[in-house]
Amino acid sequence: IQKPHQSPLPSLPTQPAIRNMDPSAAAAPKLRQPSTAGTATVKNKKKKTTAEALSHDVLCIIFSFLDLVQLIRCSAVSTSWSKAVNKLKLQQTEYFKQQHSDPNGLIDASLSQRSLSELAEQLAMEQHRLALQRAPANVIQWKGHSVGVNQCRMKMGKVLTGVGDKVMRLWSAESCKCLDEYYLVDKAPLIDFDFDEGKVVGLVGTRICIWNRTEARNVFSSRENLFTKALCMCYVDPEAVIGCEDGKVRVFDLYSRKCTQIIKMHQGPVSCLAFSDDQLLVSGSSLGTLSLSDLSSDQRVVLLGSTYSAGVKTLCFNPNSYMVLAGSTAGNVSCWDLRNTTRTLWETRVSPNVIYSMHHLMNDTSTLVVGGIDGVLRTVDQVTGEVISRCIMDDSTTALHRSTERFGTVQIESRKVKRLSEDDRIDLMPRTCKPQITCLAVGMEKVVTTHNDK
């Protein structure tokens, strides 16, 4: 691991050869194994070295070359990496280099690990915002499915894509390599899905299916016709919530395999859902209404004070700011503060057409990424509703290469990002630069999108 414009890591001294001090062993001749004609030669393949094989000392040497934001990201990889970073007090040192420029390199002993983590998170979120707003950027594009795919999720450096064909594929967000595949059990269509470290949960036809990621391939499927005309799903262990065409939300326990609650939230179809760790459920309807309910206290359904004349297509709930952000079929994005549901904080027409998807980084209270039918990737300020960035792909391909993996050959294209001004005529730009964005997911300084193509 090496920072740009910096000399490579110093070579580590090799371990001296360990000599066998047993004379009899030293004198023993090396016997040549007899060869047998016609016997196939088996070549021993070298095992790949994993990150877990690195010793604590080697990790410390590598980490000493990184800046503060890189150290923050490394400390989130695993417990052992976090301990190595914290033990060396590298984060404290880098923070004071950047914020205080202390010529003596002294570290304030009163700065606790907790306050340092908060400061580091603020710095990381600010860098994320600047990357979305104005930093130079590239687009990496590859063919991931045999037919059109229109949904994606991104977590922990991995991207899960699906809906369109009979398989979901898990990709590395860094290398674009396919890491795993999850096939549907029958001909029922995949409607919605999400994943975590141990499993993939999918809404398939009229039932819930769970693919185990940690053990031998194992698929659990609930009984048929559990959800009638289901349209959307999200889950937080141990419960999944399913929005249906009849305006009801059904709560399904993933472990008891039973439907535990049925809540009437809208008069029309439930088009989108958001479900928080503290069991706060927010839902939108194609008739333009937004409702919320607290499952932990059996609180009645509350209708938000303002509703759309157009349907609600997508929504996000930010648990850090208690804000609900909703996108409509008319191209509007609106924001409510759940501590005061009588009025909207702001409403902005960010697109002339339907908004299909929007998302923000988990701890980010400043930016929201929005995509829709016009193919422009927009970044919106969560506090004011102002559109702070508009992006499309440059029409020319800058690089093209193929990667052959165990799941087949992937052709990867690299393009530049073209940032637009408010006055640019989007309708005059070629469609190849701005395919419609059917779904998007936001990670640290990156966004993944699907376009209902391959």
Side-chain angles (χ1 to χ4, degrees):
I1 301 174
Q2 174 183 333
K3 287 179 65 176
H5 313 298
Q6 195 170 23
S7 59
L9 292 177
S11 58
L12 298 177
T14 57
Q15 293 291 334
I18 301 175
R19 300 181 182 274
N20 193 328
M21 302 304 294
D22 185 357
S24 62
K30 293 183 179 178
L31 298 178
R32 188 174 181 179
Q33 296 295 330
S35 60
T36 305
T39 302
T41 303
V42 179
K43 293 182 179 179
N44 292 327
K45 292 185 178 180
K46 260 186 146 183
K47 290 185 177 179
K48 291 184 178 180
T49 304
T50 63
E52 289 75 16
L54 297 177
S55 68
H56 179 81
D57 292 337
V58 173
L59 284 176
C60 291
I61 292 172
I62 295 172
F63 291 159
S64 66
F65 282 81
L66 306 183
D67 62 25
L68 180 58
V69 174
Q70 291 170 332
L71 286 171
I72 294 167
R73 298 182 73 173
C74 285
S75 65
V77 169
S78 68
T79 304
S80 61
W81 284 32
S82 179
K83 286 180 179 178
V85 172
N86 293 335
K87 186 176 181 180
L88 289 172
K89 297 189 179 297
L90 291 172
Q91 287 185 337
Q92 290 95 322
T93 304
E94 289 295 327
Y95 175 76
F96 275 87
K97 281 181 183 177
Q98 293 193 18
Q99 301 297 321
H100 296 274
S101 301
D102 185 356
N104 299 319
L106 298 177
I107 298 176
D108 186 358
S110 64
L111 186 66
S112 67
Q113 187 62 45
R114 180 178 178 182
S115 58
L116 178 69
S117 298
E118 293 172 353
L119 293 169
E121 183 175 313
Q122 291 175 12
L123 182 66
M125 289 303 103
E126 180 61 25
Q127 179 163 321
H128 173 70
R129 175 188 173 92
L130 292 176
L132 292 178
Q133 186 172 355
R134 59 173 181 263
N138 293 323
V139 179
I140 307 299
Q141 180 175 277
W142 72 97
K143 179 181 175 181
H145 292 260
S146 58
V147 297
V149 58
N150 61 20
Q151 285 202 39
C152 59
R153 306 287 184 266
M154 178 161 56
K155 293 176 183 176
M156 305 163 289
K158 297 178 177 64
V159 177
L160 186 65
T161 58
V163 181
D165 56 8
K166 296 298 181 181
V167 61
M168 291 177 284
R169 290 193 170 97
L170 189 70
W171 309 86
S172 165
E174 297 295 335
S175 65
C176 306
K177 293 180 180 178
C178 185
L179 305 176
D180 214 338
E181 295 181 327
Y182 306 95
Y183 283 88
L184 303 190
V185 293
D186 54 27
K187 295 182 179 180
L190 178 65
I191 300 169
D192 207 345
F193 61 87
D194 207 342
F195 75 106
D196 57 33
E197 298 93 330
K199 62 184 175 297
V200 175
V201 180
L203 176 59
V204 182
T206 60
R207 57 185 173 174
I208 290 286
C209 291
I210 302 173
W211 290 261
N212 196 326
R213 290 183 56 200
T214 57
E215 300 175 3
R217 189 49 46 85
N218 182 21
V219 182
F220 155 73
S221 177
S222 67
R223 63 180 175 84
E224 288 277 7
N225 301 317
L226 194 59
F227 315 108
T228 305
K229 295 184 179 179
L231 302 176
C232 53
M233 180 216 72
C234 59
Y235 81 93
V236 174
D237 268 345
E239 294 174 321
V241 289
I242 298 92
C244 300
E245 195 176 74
D246 59 4
K248 296 178 181 178
V249 171
R250 284 148 173 97
V251 183
F252 179 77
D253 189 292
L254 296 175
Y255 300 103
S256 68
R257 307 178 184 183
K258 294 179 180 178
C259 191
T260 57
Q261 293 185 60
I262 300 177
I263 308 167
K264 180 71 173 179
M265 297 198 74
H266 298 278
Q267 296 302 315
V270 179
S271 54
C272 49
L273 293 165
F275 193 33
S276 70
D277 290 339
D278 54 3
Q279 293 193 303
L280 187 64
L281 174 63
V282 186
S283 64
S285 169
S286 58
L287 297 184
T289 56
L290 275 171
S291 298
L292 62 107
S293 179
D294 187 352
L295 302 187
S296 63
S297 61
D298 294 327
Q299 181 179 335
R300 65 182 179 85
V301 175
V302 177
L303 189 68
L304 293 182
S306 179
T307 57
Y308 287 112
S309 57
V312 181
K313 192 68 177 176
T314 178
L315 61 85
C316 295
F317 171 62
N318 193 327
N320 289 342
S321 61
Y322 287 94
M323 289 183 180
V324 172
L325 302 128
S328 78
T329 55
N332 296 330
V333 174
S334 294
C335 177
W336 284 264
D337 187 340
L338 293 189
R339 293 164 293 193
N340 181 10
T341 60
T342 58
R343 61 184 180 85
T344 56
L345 293 180
W346 51 262
E347 183 172 353
T348 305
R349 185 101 187 274
V350 302
S351 171
N353 303 106
V354 181
I355 294 173
Y356 282 135
S357 182
M358 58 189 191
H359 194 226
H360 58 78
L361 205 59
M362 184 189 302
N363 296 331
D364 185 14
T365 58
S366 62
T367 58
L368 175 74
V369 183
V370 179
I373 198 171
D374 65 356
V376 179
L377 193 72
R378 295 175 174 87
T379 303
V380 178
D381 190 305
Q382 286 191 37
V383 178
T384 64
E386 176 190 1
V387 180
I388 58 177
S389 174
R390 301 167 180 83
C391 298
I392 61 171
M393 291 188 292
D394 194 293
D395 201 25
S396 59
T397 301
T398 58
L400 178 66
H401 70 276
R402 294 177 181 271
S403 174
T404 303
E405 304 298 333
R406 65 189 179 109
F407 294 108
T409 300
V410 177
Q411 180 173 293
I412 301 172
E413 298 179 11
S414 179
R415 300 185 182 186
K416 294 291 184 182
V417 166
K418 183 177 181 180
R419 295 191 181 272
L420 306 176
S421 69
E422 190 175 356
D423 299 326
D424 286 333
R425 290 284 304 275
I426 298 171
D427 56 313
L428 299 180
M429 298 176 183
R431 195 65 192 172
T432 54
C433 297
K434 49 183 186 64
Q436 63 172 341
I437 299 171
T438 58
C439 189
L440 64 86
V442 180
M444 187 66 183
E445 299 182 38
K446 59 169 66 74
V447 181
V448 59
T449 59
T450 54
H451 306 270
N452 204 29
D453 57 13
K454 300 177 184 179

